[in-house]
Each structure stands twice: as structure tokens, then as C-alpha cells.
Amino acid sequence: MKKIISTIALTLLMLAPVLASAQTRDALRINEVMVVNDNSLVDEYGNTSAWIELFNSNFAPLEISKIFITNDKNNPRKYPVPLGDVNTRISKRQHVVFFADGEPNRGTFHTNFTLIPGEENWIGIYDADGKTLIDQVTIPATLEPNHSWARTQDGTGEWAIRTGGESDYITPSSANVITDTNSKIQLFAENDEHGFGITLMAMCIVFSALLVLCLSFYAIGKIGGAISKMNKFRSHGVTRSEAKELEHLSSHDSGEEIAAIVLALHEHLNAHDTESTILTINKVKRAYSPWSSKIYSLREIPEHRRAK
């Protein structure tokens, strides 16, 4: 018992770093920033202001309350993300946007600092200890209004300017790379213009499913028959081994053996339907009712006597 407990404790001790790293804030990334926002993103009050998008690169949810967001390297604890907001829990591989409007009284996602247009803006995020730098970025002073400074891939890749055109979307609270088409559908469209391939594939799937169902029902019927037969043998006091022996014998009976058995029974019981030398008279029993008898239906003819 002690050995089992020690093994479990050792296993948990070895898994502790893995479990801890699964929820670590080291996976939090600054993903996209806009300094001058005139017509890009509107907050819940209908206002437009600078915004900062964070991305959870974990494959597990991440709680970001108690982290610090700042635009001052000398003040790493400038804006602490408060506790008690359910929206600070970011789902795996998802985004959250903070408005850098200098109005923290408007809610959790409104910072107490703003970004300065026409200048370089440094942004950093620190862990709950206020000392561990998780991620940082410097936005160039040349960034034009309504343009964003974003990563080429969510959480990774180089930084580049996005203008909001067809080739470089501005995507707050969304993936930085938007896939417009499905490669598999496009491949089918190119190689199967009339849809014969997809039709054949669908028919194969349907008939395969029907075949599996038929085999399943056949197997269920066989199993049910075997169980019913064993229950019948059990009700007559026949053991499993005896039942198997009877089945073995019955399966090996030939037509000649069955004919010999029938002939022996005939000779022994002398029971046969047709005899060449014996006349068999069987009494026929019929239902008799006096009401339907002919003797009661005939009327007696009266006797005529001559007068003397």
C-alpha cells in the first residue's frame, strides 16, 4: 500500500510542472495594436479610442486577472487587470481587446493610460508579481490613423502594418489570418466539376453503413438464438456439455441414418397410415340433435276407417 501511495505521489510530482505550464501566463501575447482609431472599433459606450488586442496562445483557457498592462517601462504596474470579471478568462486560442482611453472607471477593459499619436509607443504586459515581463512591443511613430500594428500570425511571427485592405485585414478580437476558402472544397470543385465523385462517395458511405447494420442484426440474431437454445436446454436439465454433444451429433446425422431411425420406429410401433392387408374402420362421430332429425319432420298419416 505504501508503495502505491509513493508511486502516485511521485507521478503527481513529475506532472506538476506540466500542469502548471498548461495554465501559465507566459503564453499571453500582444497581438495587434491601433493608436489612432477613428472608424475601426467602437467600445460599449459608442466611443472610438486606441485599442490593444491580447491573444491566449495556450491550448487551454487562461485567466488574465491580476496581470499588469503598461506603456511606461519605469512603471510596470500601471494598469492592474481587476479581479471579479468573468470576461478575463480567455478561452484557448482566443482574443481580448483593451481600450487605451484613460478611463478605467468605464470597466475592466478600459486602461488608465492612452497612446500618443505620432510617437513611438511601448506597451508591455507583466505577470501578477509586477516584475516578470510576459510580452512587449514598440509601435512605430509612422503608424497612420486607422492602421494597426499586428503580428503576421496569431501570437507569433513578425510585426507589420495593416491598412484594412483586402490583403491585410484589421481584425480586433479575431484571428489575424482569415481563411476565405476551404481547401478541400476547392479541390473538389476543381477535380469534380459535375459532382460525380462526391455522389459516389456518399453512396459508398450509405451502403457501407447498411452493410454494417445487416451484419450487426445477423450477429444479434445468432446470439439471441444461441441464448434461447441454451435456456431451453437448461429448462430441461441438460448441461452445457451435453447440449454441445447433442448439437454435434445432430449436425453429423446423414439422411441414411435418419431413414434407419424412422424405419426402426415404424417396426417397433407398427404405426403406419396405409396397410395393404388390414381394413381399418373408424367410427365417425357427429353431433346429433333431435330437432334436426328427419323422423320428427315427417307427419303421421291418419288411419281412415270405413263406417259399418
Side-chain angles (χ1 to χ4, degrees):
M1 186 65 182
K2 292 182 179 180
K3 185 181 290 186
I4 296 174
I5 294 174
S6 61
T7 304
I8 295 173
L10 182 61
T11 305
L12 293 175
L13 185 62
M14 294 175 65
L15 290 175
V18 178
L19 296 174
S21 62
Q23 291 293 332
T24 181
R25 293 191 177 101
D26 292 340
L28 191 62
R29 293 289 178 267
I30 302 172
N31 207 49
E32 190 172 4
V33 180
M34 179 176 287
V35 177
V36 179
N37 172 24
D38 293 330
N39 53 20
S40 173
L41 182 64
V42 178
D43 64 14
E44 63 269 35
Y45 296 94
N47 300 322
T48 55
S49 56
W51 49 265
I52 304 165
E53 180 191 69
L54 304 184
F55 175 69
N56 173 21
S57 61
N58 272 331
F59 286 91
L62 180 64
E63 175 59 54
I64 63 169
S65 58
K66 296 178 65 175
I67 67 165
F68 297 93
I69 306 176
T70 181
N71 66 337
D72 186 355
K73 293 181 180 180
N74 298 320
N75 185 9
R77 301 184 178 215
K78 191 167 187 179
Y79 177 68
V81 177
L83 291 168
D85 194 325
V86 295
N87 294 317
T88 56
R89 180 180 173 85
I90 311 176
S91 301
K92 62 178 182 179
R93 310 291 296 176
Q94 294 302 313
H95 314 73
V96 65
V97 172
F98 287 84
F99 292 96
D101 54 4
E103 299 285 347
N105 59 321
R106 290 185 175 178
T108 301
F109 299 97
H110 294 264
T111 67
N112 56 3
F113 61 86
T114 59
L115 302 180
I116 304 172
E119 296 183 11
E120 285 190 351
N121 287 272
W122 178 86
I123 299 173
I125 50 177
Y126 285 82
D127 209 343
D129 58 3
K131 298 178 181 179
T132 305
L133 181 64
I134 299 174
D135 195 19
Q136 61 179 332
V137 65
T138 300
I139 297 93
T142 56
L143 188 66
E144 297 182 8
N146 301 312
H147 290 186
S148 69
W149 185 244
R151 294 180 185 268
T152 54
Q153 298 286 335
D154 283 325
T156 60
E158 300 295 329
W159 289 86
I161 295 174
R162 295 198 169 191
T163 63
E166 293 183 358
S167 59
D168 52 354
Y169 298 104
I170 295 174
T171 57
S173 297
S174 182
N176 284 0
V177 178
I178 298 177
T179 304
D180 293 330
T181 58
N182 189 313
S183 58
K184 294 181 180 179
I185 295 176
Q186 189 173 1
L187 182 63
F188 263 111
E190 292 175 357
N191 299 310
D192 187 22
E193 182 178 356
H194 300 287
F196 295 119
I198 192 71
T199 303
L200 181 62
M201 185 181 297
M203 292 178 66
C204 289
I205 292 172
V206 171
F207 284 113
S208 300
L210 290 175
L211 179 61
V212 170
L213 284 174
C214 290
L215 294 175
S216 300
F217 287 133
Y218 177 78
I220 292 170
K222 285 290 186 181
I223 294 171
I227 293 173
S228 176
K229 188 180 294 184
M230 290 307 300
N231 290 335
K232 185 177 180 180
F233 282 133
R234 191 178 295 111
S235 65
H236 288 81
V238 180
T239 63
R240 184 184 296 271
S241 59
E242 292 174 345
K244 288 183 178 179
E245 186 176 354
L246 289 172
E247 289 181 356
H248 177 73
L249 291 175
S250 63
S251 63
H252 288 79
D253 286 340
S254 64
E256 295 177 355
E257 293 173 347
I258 294 173
I261 293 170
V262 171
L263 182 60
L265 290 173
H266 168 69
E267 293 295 336
H268 177 68
L269 299 176
N270 195 20
H272 199 276
D273 293 336
T274 305
E275 295 86 2
S276 61
T277 61
I278 300 174
L279 180 61
T280 303
I281 300 175
N282 293 326
K283 183 180 180 180
V284 178
K285 294 182 179 180
R286 295 181 180 176
Y288 174 78
S289 175
W291 298 104
S292 61
S293 176
K294 292 182 178 181
I295 63 174
Y296 292 103
S297 62
L298 295 177
R299 300 180 65 181
E300 184 178 357
I301 300 175
E303 183 179 356
H304 295 282
R305 296 181 180 181
R306 293 180 180 180
K308 294 181 180 180

